[in-house]
Amino acid sequence: DGGITQSPKYLFRKEGQNVTLSCEQNLNHDAMYWYRQDPGQGLRLIYYSQIVNDFQKGDIAEGYSVSREKKESFPLTVTSAQKNPTAFYLCASSVTSGPNEQFFGPGTRLTVL
Amino acid sequence: GENVEQHPSTLSVQEGDSAVIKCTYSDSASNYFPWYKQELGKRPQLIIDIRSNVGEKKDQRIAVTLNKTAKHFSLHITETQPEDSAVYFCAGRGKLIFGQGTELSVKP
């Protein structure tokens, strides 16, 4: 299914805890993205990375952090500063950040208890 | 700021009818317009895309039309089938902004 994986599928977190979501791709894509999906709101961009060791904030970056130390990996940390973290998180990658198809991972559903 | 508006939010059609979903965008520099389909519990997948130098593109029962002057593009699905039932998303600003999604239900 496109060679992009996310783990875990389901994640539960207590309030006040940081949690890291994994995203790995073996497609040799330069660009990677993190989206948050809430009912009725579509996909909202959290962070994106056009190339290894570089990343930019998206529209809703507050309370999140990322790293891009390796081309194939783009982990997302949901910090305790994120006010409403319960959501479905989707990672995606594309050959470049230009006009081309994005391939999505299966997603991680995060629930804050 | 830049945004993408998608309508309608829900659409119910009878099997065999056509369905049309429309997106408007604000960024004049946009030059790539994809449509994704997300079935329940699954990841979004690209179904068709169009670039700004083309006005229409077809792939079997689906087509996308682009009006750059009016800044809108539309997804057309003909002869709908129950397996077309899903949420459809458009995207703008390259791929960084998605529309709110349209939940399409095709009734047999």
Side-chain angles (χ1 to χ4, degrees):
Chain A
D1 253 335
I4 180 165
T5 60
Q6 291 183 242
S7 62
K9 186 173 182 179
Y10 298 98
L11 188 56
F12 298 90
R13 185 195 94 176
K14 292 182 179 179
E15 280 193 31
Q17 289 181 336
N18 292 354
V19 63
T20 298
L21 282 59
S22 168
C23 178
E24 303 278 333
Q25 53 97 0
N26 62 3
L27 302 168
N28 201 33
H29 285 174
D30 280 330
M32 297 187 73
Y33 313 79
W34 274 106
Y35 295 93
R36 171 179 171 143
Q37 186 171 28
D38 295 285
Q41 294 194 48
L43 283 70
R44 291 183 292 167
L45 183 68
I46 304 172
Y47 269 97
Y48 66 104
S49 169
Q50 296 175 300
I51 199 166
V52 66
N53 291 323
D54 182 62
F55 51 82
Q56 289 82 40
K57 291 182 179 180
D59 298 317
I60 56 165
E62 185 176 353
Y64 300 97
S65 66
V66 295
S67 63
R68 187 85 188 276
E69 298 175 0
K70 297 186 294 183
K71 187 175 186 177
E72 59 270 23
S73 179
F74 191 41
L76 174 74
T77 297
V78 184
T79 75
S80 56
Q82 168 51 231
K83 301 296 183 194
N84 184 21
T86 294
F88 188 56
Y89 291 87
L90 283 162
C91 178
S93 71
S94 60
V95 174
T96 68
S97 59
N100 46 57
E101 179 180 1
Q102 283 182 306
F103 294 85
F104 285 86
T108 293
R109 187 165 298 280
L110 172 65
T111 302
V112 174
L113 304 173
Chain B
E2 298 162 13
N3 69 322
V4 174
E5 296 288 333
Q6 182 174 342
H7 298 282
S9 57
T10 60
L11 180 59
S12 181
V13 299
Q14 288 295 131
E15 182 177 359
D17 287 349
S18 295
V20 181
I21 304 169
K22 182 177 177 179
C23 281
T24 59
Y25 61 95
S26 59
D27 183 6
S28 299
S30 293
N31 59 3
Y32 176 67
F33 306 92
W35 284 95
Y36 289 83
K37 175 183 180 182
Q38 186 177 27
E39 297 178 16
L40 189 62
K42 296 189 177 180
R43 69 190 79 188
Q45 291 190 303
L46 182 76
I47 55 171
I48 196 167
D49 56 14
I50 193 170
R51 298 176 193 274
S52 58
N53 58 346
V54 177
E56 183 176 6
K57 183 178 179 180
K58 289 183 180 180
D59 183 3
Q60 300 182 337
R61 294 188 297 107
I62 61 173
V64 54
T65 57
L66 172 64
N67 184 327
K68 286 214 74 178
T69 303
K71 294 185 186 175
H72 66 72
F73 58 109
S74 299
L75 176 70
H76 305 255
I77 306 174
T78 59
E79 300 173 23
T80 53
Q81 301 167 4
E83 51 265 38
D84 294 329
S85 296
V87 179
Y88 292 82
F89 294 98
C90 61
R93 207 175 76 189
K95 63 194 99 189
L96 301 183
I97 298 181
F98 280 77
Q100 297 88 339
T102 296
E103 184 175 357
L104 174 64
S105 297
V106 180
K107 299 182 185 304

Tab-separated table of all heavy atoms in Angstrom, chain B residues 56-106:
chain	number	residue	atom	x	y	z
B	56	GLU	N	-9.560	20.052	-18.581
B	56	GLU	CA	-10.359	18.888	-18.220
B	56	GLU	C	-9.516	17.630	-18.364
B	56	GLU	O	-8.649	17.540	-19.237
B	56	GLU	CB	-11.596	18.791	-19.117
B	56	GLU	CG	-12.530	17.650	-18.771
B	56	GLU	CD	-13.794	17.624	-19.613
B	56	GLU	OE1	-13.898	18.438	-20.547
B	56	GLU	OE2	-14.676	16.801	-19.329
B	57	LYS	N	-9.810	16.681	-17.503
B	57	LYS	CA	-9.130	15.390	-17.569
B	57	LYS	C	-10.118	14.310	-17.193
B	57	LYS	O	-10.887	14.484	-16.250
B	57	LYS	CB	-7.927	15.384	-16.617
B	57	LYS	CG	-7.097	14.116	-16.639
B	57	LYS	CD	-5.906	14.262	-15.689
B	57	LYS	CE	-5.041	13.024	-15.650
B	57	LYS	NZ	-3.891	13.204	-14.718
B	58	LYS	N	-10.100	13.216	-17.945
B	58	LYS	CA	-11.042	12.117	-17.678
B	58	LYS	C	-10.298	10.820	-17.451
B	58	LYS	O	-9.238	10.567	-18.031
B	58	LYS	CB	-11.992	11.944	-18.875
B	58	LYS	CG	-13.013	13.030	-19.052
B	58	LYS	CD	-13.941	12.705	-20.213
B	58	LYS	CE	-14.987	13.790	-20.399
B	58	LYS	NZ	-15.902	13.506	-21.535
B	59	ASP	N	-10.894	9.988	-16.601
B	59	ASP	CA	-10.365	8.647	-16.379
B	59	ASP	C	-11.561	7.745	-16.122
B	59	ASP	O	-12.085	7.692	-15.017
B	59	ASP	CB	-9.399	8.627	-15.196
B	59	ASP	CG	-8.777	7.251	-14.989
B	59	ASP	OD1	-9.045	6.326	-15.795
B	59	ASP	OD2	-8.013	7.097	-14.012
B	60	GLN	N	-12.022	7.101	-17.168
B	60	GLN	CA	-13.191	6.221	-17.109
B	60	GLN	C	-14.405	7.000	-16.604
B	60	GLN	O	-14.855	7.923	-17.291
B	60	GLN	CB	-12.881	4.982	-16.262
B	60	GLN	CG	-11.725	4.163	-16.833
B	60	GLN	CD	-11.440	2.908	-16.034
B	60	GLN	OE1	-11.763	2.778	-14.858
B	60	GLN	NE2	-10.819	1.932	-16.682
B	61	ARG	N	-14.924	6.680	-15.429
B	61	ARG	CA	-16.162	7.333	-14.965
B	61	ARG	C	-15.915	8.634	-14.203
B	61	ARG	O	-16.868	9.299	-13.794
B	61	ARG	CB	-16.934	6.373	-14.056
B	61	ARG	CG	-17.456	5.129	-14.759
B	61	ARG	CD	-18.372	4.339	-13.828
B	61	ARG	NE	-17.673	3.848	-12.636
B	61	ARG	CZ	-17.837	4.345	-11.415
B	61	ARG	NH1	-18.671	5.344	-11.194
B	61	ARG	NH2	-17.167	3.824	-10.392
B	62	ILE	N	-14.678	8.983	-13.976
B	62	ILE	CA	-14.412	10.215	-13.241
B	62	ILE	C	-13.731	11.236	-14.138
B	62	ILE	O	-13.007	10.882	-15.070
B	62	ILE	CB	-13.562	9.957	-11.978
B	62	ILE	CG1	-12.205	9.355	-12.358
B	62	ILE	CG2	-14.295	9.069	-10.999
B	62	ILE	CD1	-11.267	9.242	-11.166
B	63	ALA	N	-13.995	12.499	-13.839
B	63	ALA	CA	-13.401	13.591	-14.601
B	63	ALA	C	-13.206	14.773	-13.655
B	63	ALA	O	-13.896	14.895	-12.632
B	63	ALA	CB	-14.294	13.993	-15.761
B	64	VAL	N	-12.247	15.592	-13.987
B	64	VAL	CA	-12.036	16.828	-13.242
B	64	VAL	C	-11.989	17.962	-14.250
B	64	VAL	O	-11.377	17.837	-15.315
B	64	VAL	CB	-10.752	16.780	-12.378
B	64	VAL	CG1	-9.532	16.429	-13.201
B	64	VAL	CG2	-10.552	18.086	-11.631
B	65	THR	N	-12.671	19.056	-13.929
B	65	THR	CA	-12.649	20.250	-14.760
B	65	THR	C	-12.065	21.395	-13.950
B	65	THR	O	-12.246	21.470	-12.733
B	65	THR	CB	-14.059	20.625	-15.242
B	65	THR	OG1	-14.912	20.817	-14.107
B	65	THR	CG2	-14.646	19.530	-16.116
B	66	LEU	N	-11.360	22.271	-14.622
B	66	LEU	CA	-10.684	23.389	-13.965
B	66	LEU	C	-11.063	24.692	-14.655
B	66	LEU	O	-10.991	24.795	-15.887
B	66	LEU	CB	-9.170	23.193	-14.029
B	66	LEU	CG	-8.297	24.362	-13.552
B	66	LEU	CD1	-8.510	24.635	-12.072
B	66	LEU	CD2	-6.832	24.072	-13.862
B	67	ASN	N	-11.443	25.674	-13.870
B	67	ASN	CA	-11.702	27.023	-14.366
B	67	ASN	C	-10.784	27.967	-13.605
B	67	ASN	O	-11.080	28.370	-12.472
B	67	ASN	CB	-13.174	27.402	-14.146
B	67	ASN	CG	-13.519	28.751	-14.737
B	67	ASN	OD1	-12.692	29.671	-14.775
B	67	ASN	ND2	-14.742	28.890	-15.205
B	68	LYS	N	-9.651	28.288	-14.177
B	68	LYS	CA	-8.663	29.102	-13.473
B	68	LYS	C	-9.126	30.535	-13.297
B	68	LYS	O	-8.763	31.199	-12.327
B	68	LYS	CB	-7.324	29.067	-14.222
B	68	LYS	CG	-6.580	27.761	-14.083
B	68	LYS	CD	-5.074	27.964	-14.054
B	68	LYS	CE	-4.606	28.536	-12.739
B	68	LYS	NZ	-3.149	28.690	-12.666
B	69	THR	N	-9.918	31.021	-14.235
B	69	THR	CA	-10.407	32.387	-14.121
B	69	THR	C	-11.286	32.545	-12.895
B	69	THR	O	-11.157	33.503	-12.128
B	69	THR	CB	-11.182	32.785	-15.389
B	69	THR	OG1	-10.336	32.635	-16.526
B	69	THR	CG2	-11.678	34.222	-15.293
B	70	ALA	N	-12.180	31.584	-12.726
B	70	ALA	CA	-13.101	31.614	-11.590
B	70	ALA	C	-12.500	30.968	-10.349
B	70	ALA	O	-13.116	31.000	-9.275
B	70	ALA	CB	-14.407	30.911	-11.966
B	71	LYS	N	-11.343	30.369	-10.467
B	71	LYS	CA	-10.651	29.699	-9.357
B	71	LYS	C	-11.508	28.597	-8.754
B	71	LYS	O	-11.730	28.553	-7.528
B	71	LYS	CB	-10.242	30.706	-8.287
B	71	LYS	CG	-9.192	31.691	-8.738
B	71	LYS	CD	-8.770	32.566	-7.557
B	71	LYS	CE	-7.828	33.655	-7.977
B	71	LYS	NZ	-7.517	34.578	-6.871
B	72	HIS	N	-11.983	27.710	-9.600
B	72	HIS	CA	-12.648	26.534	-9.059
B	72	HIS	C	-12.390	25.324	-9.949
B	72	HIS	O	-12.083	25.446	-11.131
B	72	HIS	CB	-14.139	26.763	-8.809
B	72	HIS	CG	-14.977	26.994	-10.027
B	72	HIS	ND1	-15.292	25.986	-10.934
B	72	HIS	CD2	-15.595	28.091	-10.475
B	72	HIS	CE1	-16.068	26.477	-11.874
B	72	HIS	NE2	-16.255	27.749	-11.630
B	73	PHE	N	-12.459	24.170	-9.320
B	73	PHE	CA	-12.319	22.906	-10.038
B	73	PHE	C	-13.308	21.907	-9.455
B	73	PHE	O	-13.679	22.001	-8.288
B	73	PHE	CB	-10.882	22.390	-9.996
B	73	PHE	CG	-10.298	22.156	-8.635
B	73	PHE	CD1	-10.061	20.873	-8.170
B	73	PHE	CD2	-9.933	23.231	-7.817
B	73	PHE	CE1	-9.503	20.656	-6.928
B	73	PHE	CE2	-9.376	23.016	-6.580
B	73	PHE	CZ	-9.165	21.722	-6.122
B	74	SER	N	-13.762	21.032	-10.295
B	74	SER	CA	-14.851	20.133	-9.916
B	74	SER	C	-14.532	18.683	-10.255
B	74	SER	O	-13.866	18.402	-11.251
B	74	SER	CB	-16.151	20.534	-10.621
B	74	SER	OG	-16.541	21.841	-10.260
B	75	LEU	N	-15.051	17.807	-9.421
B	75	LEU	CA	-14.959	16.361	-9.649
B	75	LEU	C	-16.312	15.876	-10.140
B	75	LEU	O	-17.336	16.182	-9.540
B	75	LEU	CB	-14.587	15.640	-8.350
B	75	LEU	CG	-14.544	14.113	-8.412
B	75	LEU	CD1	-13.356	13.656	-9.266
B	75	LEU	CD2	-14.454	13.515	-7.018
B	76	HIS	N	-16.298	15.137	-11.232
B	76	HIS	CA	-17.522	14.595	-11.800
B	76	HIS	C	-17.419	13.073	-11.805
B	76	HIS	O	-16.456	12.518	-12.332
B	76	HIS	CB	-17.707	15.081	-13.246
B	76	HIS	CG	-17.687	16.569	-13.393
B	76	HIS	ND1	-18.829	17.317	-13.609
B	76	HIS	CD2	-16.666	17.457	-13.353
B	76	HIS	CE1	-18.503	18.594	-13.696
B	76	HIS	NE2	-17.202	18.722	-13.542
B	77	ILE	N	-18.408	12.431	-11.228
B	77	ILE	CA	-18.476	10.976	-11.257
B	77	ILE	C	-19.760	10.583	-11.979
B	77	ILE	O	-20.856	10.988	-11.573
B	77	ILE	CB	-18.480	10.361	-9.837
B	77	ILE	CG1	-17.275	10.865	-9.035
B	77	ILE	CG2	-18.453	8.830	-9.924
B	77	ILE	CD1	-17.293	10.413	-7.579
B	78	THR	N	-19.630	9.852	-13.057
B	78	THR	CA	-20.815	9.415	-13.801
B	78	THR	C	-21.122	7.951	-13.477
B	78	THR	O	-20.265	7.215	-12.975
B	78	THR	CB	-20.597	9.565	-15.312
B	78	THR	OG1	-19.460	8.778	-15.697
B	78	THR	CG2	-20.347	11.015	-15.693
B	79	GLU	N	-22.358	7.572	-13.757
B	79	GLU	CA	-22.821	6.185	-13.537
B	79	GLU	C	-22.358	5.682	-12.162
B	79	GLU	O	-21.700	4.637	-12.047
B	79	GLU	CB	-22.287	5.283	-14.651
B	79	GLU	CG	-22.739	5.700	-16.043
B	79	GLU	CD	-22.059	4.884	-17.140
B	79	GLU	OE1	-21.610	3.767	-16.868
B	79	GLU	OE2	-21.963	5.400	-18.269
B	80	THR	N	-22.711	6.405	-11.124
B	80	THR	CA	-22.229	6.080	-9.784
B	80	THR	C	-22.621	4.670	-9.362
B	80	THR	O	-23.681	4.142	-9.749
B	80	THR	CB	-22.757	7.076	-8.754
B	80	THR	OG1	-24.186	7.151	-8.861
B	80	THR	CG2	-22.148	8.447	-8.967
B	81	GLN	N	-21.747	4.082	-8.561
B	81	GLN	CA	-21.946	2.723	-8.041
B	81	GLN	C	-21.798	2.758	-6.521
B	81	GLN	O	-21.156	3.667	-5.983
B	81	GLN	CB	-20.903	1.788	-8.665
B	81	GLN	CG	-20.980	1.742	-10.188
B	81	GLN	CD	-19.775	1.068	-10.821
B	81	GLN	OE1	-18.892	0.558	-10.135
B	81	GLN	NE2	-19.742	1.057	-12.149
B	82	PRO	N	-22.367	1.804	-5.822
B	82	PRO	CA	-22.264	1.804	-4.353
B	82	PRO	C	-20.824	1.891	-3.855
B	82	PRO	O	-20.568	2.519	-2.817
B	82	PRO	CB	-22.917	0.473	-3.959
B	82	PRO	CG	-23.925	0.239	-5.038
B	82	PRO	CD	-23.264	0.746	-6.305
B	83	GLU	N	-19.889	1.330	-4.591
B	83	GLU	CA	-18.486	1.383	-4.150
B	83	GLU	C	-17.862	2.768	-4.313
B	83	GLU	O	-16.725	2.995	-3.875
B	83	GLU	CB	-17.642	0.338	-4.900
B	83	GLU	CG	-17.781	0.379	-6.403
B	83	GLU	CD	-18.813	-0.622	-6.908
B	83	GLU	OE1	-19.852	-0.807	-6.248
B	83	GLU	OE2	-18.560	-1.206	-7.985
B	84	ASP	N	-18.591	3.690	-4.913
B	84	ASP	CA	-18.135	5.075	-4.966
B	84	ASP	C	-18.403	5.797	-3.650
B	84	ASP	O	-17.904	6.911	-3.437
B	84	ASP	CB	-18.824	5.841	-6.097
B	84	ASP	CG	-18.442	5.327	-7.475
B	84	ASP	OD1	-17.300	4.844	-7.646
B	84	ASP	OD2	-19.291	5.382	-8.390
B	85	SER	N	-19.187	5.183	-2.778
B	85	SER	CA	-19.489	5.793	-1.481
B	85	SER	C	-18.203	5.943	-0.675
B	85	SER	O	-17.488	4.968	-0.414
B	85	SER	CB	-20.495	4.928	-0.703
B	85	SER	OG	-21.736	4.878	-1.372
B	86	ALA	N	-17.908	7.187	-0.283
B	86	ALA	CA	-16.663	7.497	0.412
B	86	ALA	C	-16.663	8.999	0.705
B	86	ALA	O	-17.605	9.716	0.354
B	86	ALA	CB	-15.452	7.137	-0.449
B	87	VAL	N	-15.581	9.446	1.333
B	87	VAL	CA	-15.365	10.884	1.500
B	87	VAL	C	-14.344	11.318	0.454
B	87	VAL	O	-13.300	10.668	0.285
B	87	VAL	CB	-14.873	11.230	2.911
B	87	VAL	CG1	-14.634	12.735	3.034
B	87	VAL	CG2	-15.886	10.774	3.953
B	88	TYR	N	-14.638	12.396	-0.236
B	88	TYR	CA	-13.770	12.915	-1.285
B	88	TYR	C	-13.198	14.262	-0.844
B	88	TYR	O	-13.906	15.126	-0.323
B	88	TYR	CB	-14.549	13.067	-2.591
B	88	TYR	CG	-14.959	11.747	-3.185
B	88	TYR	CD1	-16.097	11.085	-2.719
B	88	TYR	CD2	-14.196	11.130	-4.174
B	88	TYR	CE1	-16.474	9.854	-3.238
B	88	TYR	CE2	-14.563	9.906	-4.701
B	88	TYR	CZ	-15.698	9.272	-4.225
B	88	TYR	OH	-16.052	8.043	-4.733
B	89	PHE	N	-11.904	14.422	-1.078
B	89	PHE	CA	-11.213	15.655	-0.715
B	89	PHE	C	-10.529	16.253	-1.936
B	89	PHE	O	-9.898	15.534	-2.718
B	89	PHE	CB	-10.115	15.391	0.326
B	89	PHE	CG	-10.602	14.933	1.658
B	89	PHE	CD1	-10.609	13.585	1.978
B	89	PHE	CD2	-11.038	15.844	2.605
B	89	PHE	CE1	-11.041	13.147	3.216
B	89	PHE	CE2	-11.480	15.415	3.851
B	89	PHE	CZ	-11.484	14.066	4.148
B	90	CYS	N	-10.626	17.570	-2.049
B	90	CYS	CA	-9.800	18.283	-3.010
B	90	CYS	C	-8.648	18.909	-2.232
B	90	CYS	O	-8.670	18.968	-1.000
B	90	CYS	CB	-10.596	19.363	-3.730
B	90	CYS	SG	-11.258	20.648	-2.633
B	91	ALA	N	-7.638	19.366	-2.946
B	91	ALA	CA	-6.506	20.024	-2.294
B	91	ALA	C	-6.030	21.184	-3.138
B	91	ALA	O	-6.176	21.192	-4.362
B	91	ALA	CB	-5.367	19.033	-2.044
B	92	GLY	N	-5.478	22.169	-2.481
B	92	GLY	CA	-4.943	23.333	-3.166
B	92	GLY	C	-3.599	23.706	-2.588
B	92	GLY	O	-3.040	23.000	-1.752
B	93	ARG	N	-3.091	24.834	-3.059
B	93	ARG	CA	-1.756	25.308	-2.656
B	93	ARG	C	-0.770	24.161	-2.818
B	93	ARG	O	-0.014	23.820	-1.921
B	93	ARG	CB	-1.775	25.823	-1.232
B	93	ARG	CG	-0.697	26.884	-0.956
B	93	ARG	CD	-0.828	27.465	0.424
B	93	ARG	NE	-0.336	26.568	1.455
B	93	ARG	CZ	-0.507	26.783	2.760
B	93	ARG	NH1	-1.147	27.846	3.168
B	93	ARG	NH2	-0.048	25.929	3.637
B	94	GLY	N	-0.791	23.607	-4.018
B	94	GLY	CA	0.037	22.423	-4.260
B	94	GLY	C	-0.657	21.232	-3.654
B	94	GLY	O	-1.416	20.546	-4.275
B	95	LYS	N	-0.432	20.991	-2.413
B	95	LYS	CA	-1.095	19.883	-1.714
B	95	LYS	C	-1.172	20.181	-0.222
B	95	LYS	O	-1.407	19.307	0.574
B	95	LYS	CB	-0.326	18.602	-1.947
B	95	LYS	CG	1.075	18.631	-1.393
B	95	LYS	CD	1.883	17.486	-1.949
B	95	LYS	CE	2.732	17.977	-3.074
B	95	LYS	NZ	3.412	16.983	-3.825
B	96	LEU	N	-0.994	21.418	0.137
B	96	LEU	CA	-0.859	21.722	1.550
B	96	LEU	C	-2.166	22.121	2.210
B	96	LEU	O	-2.230	22.192	3.418
B	96	LEU	CB	0.184	22.830	1.736
B	96	LEU	CG	1.574	22.505	1.194
B	96	LEU	CD1	2.537	23.641	1.498
B	96	LEU	CD2	2.106	21.192	1.756
B	97	ILE	N	-3.174	22.427	1.431
B	97	ILE	CA	-4.477	22.755	1.990
B	97	ILE	C	-5.514	21.839	1.364
B	97	ILE	O	-5.613	21.736	0.148
B	97	ILE	CB	-4.872	24.218	1.707
B	97	ILE	CG1	-3.879	25.179	2.345
B	97	ILE	CG2	-6.264	24.491	2.238
B	97	ILE	CD1	-4.230	26.633	2.107
B	98	PHE	N	-6.302	21.192	2.221
B	98	PHE	CA	-7.361	20.312	1.757
B	98	PHE	C	-8.715	20.963	2.003
B	98	PHE	O	-8.895	21.732	2.952
B	98	PHE	CB	-7.304	18.971	2.492
B	98	PHE	CG	-6.268	18.037	1.943
B	98	PHE	CD1	-4.925	18.214	2.240
B	98	PHE	CD2	-6.629	16.984	1.126
B	98	PHE	CE1	-3.962	17.358	1.729
B	98	PHE	CE2	-5.682	16.123	0.611
B	98	PHE	CZ	-4.342	16.304	0.904
B	99	GLY	N	-9.651	20.621	1.141
B	99	GLY	CA	-11.025	21.006	1.386
B	99	GLY	C	-11.591	20.218	2.564
B	99	GLY	O	-10.953	19.289	3.066
B	100	GLN	N	-12.782	20.586	2.973
B	100	GLN	CA	-13.368	20.004	4.179
B	100	GLN	C	-13.904	18.590	3.951
B	100	GLN	O	-14.243	17.887	4.907
B	100	GLN	CB	-14.500	20.900	4.700
B	100	GLN	CG	-14.044	22.274	5.129
B	100	GLN	CD	-14.038	23.278	3.989
B	100	GLN	OE1	-14.004	22.914	2.812
B	100	GLN	NE2	-14.071	24.543	4.323
B	101	GLY	N	-13.987	18.194	2.711
B	101	GLY	CA	-14.438	16.841	2.407
B	101	GLY	C	-15.914	16.789	2.039
B	101	GLY	O	-16.723	17.583	2.533
B	102	THR	N	-16.258	15.870	1.166
B	102	THR	CA	-17.647	15.607	0.777
B	102	THR	C	-17.928	14.134	1.001
B	102	THR	O	-17.241	13.273	0.444
B	102	THR	CB	-17.890	15.950	-0.696
B	102	THR	OG1	-17.702	17.349	-0.904
B	102	THR	CG2	-19.306	15.550	-1.125
B	103	GLU	N	-18.927	13.862	1.814
B	103	GLU	CA	-19.313	12.469	2.048
B	103	GLU	C	-20.352	12.079	1.009
B	103	GLU	O	-21.491	12.555	1.036
B	103	GLU	CB	-19.880	12.290	3.455
B	103	GLU	CG	-20.205	10.841	3.796
B	103	GLU	CD	-20.652	10.675	5.238
B	103	GLU	OE1	-20.647	11.669	5.976
B	103	GLU	OE2	-21.002	9.539	5.612
B	104	LEU	N	-19.958	11.226	0.094
B	104	LEU	CA	-20.845	10.776	-0.981
B	104	LEU	C	-21.459	9.429	-0.620
B	104	LEU	O	-20.745	8.486	-0.264
B	104	LEU	CB	-20.068	10.646	-2.295
B	104	LEU	CG	-20.830	10.043	-3.476
B	104	LEU	CD1	-22.000	10.935	-3.886
B	104	LEU	CD2	-19.898	9.797	-4.654
B	105	SER	N	-22.775	9.368	-0.693
B	105	SER	CA	-23.498	8.109	-0.485
B	105	SER	C	-24.214	7.751	-1.777
B	105	SER	O	-24.971	8.558	-2.306
B	105	SER	CB	-24.516	8.242	0.648
B	105	SER	OG	-23.886	8.510	1.869
B	106	VAL	N	-23.981	6.554	-2.269
B	106	VAL	CA	-24.651	6.073	-3.474
B	106	VAL	C	-25.609	4.979	-3.048
B	106	VAL	O	-25.197	3.917	-2.573
B	106	VAL	CB	-23.634	5.538	-4.498
B	106	VAL	CG1	-24.377	5.049	-5.742
B	106	VAL	CG2	-22.620	6.602	-4.855
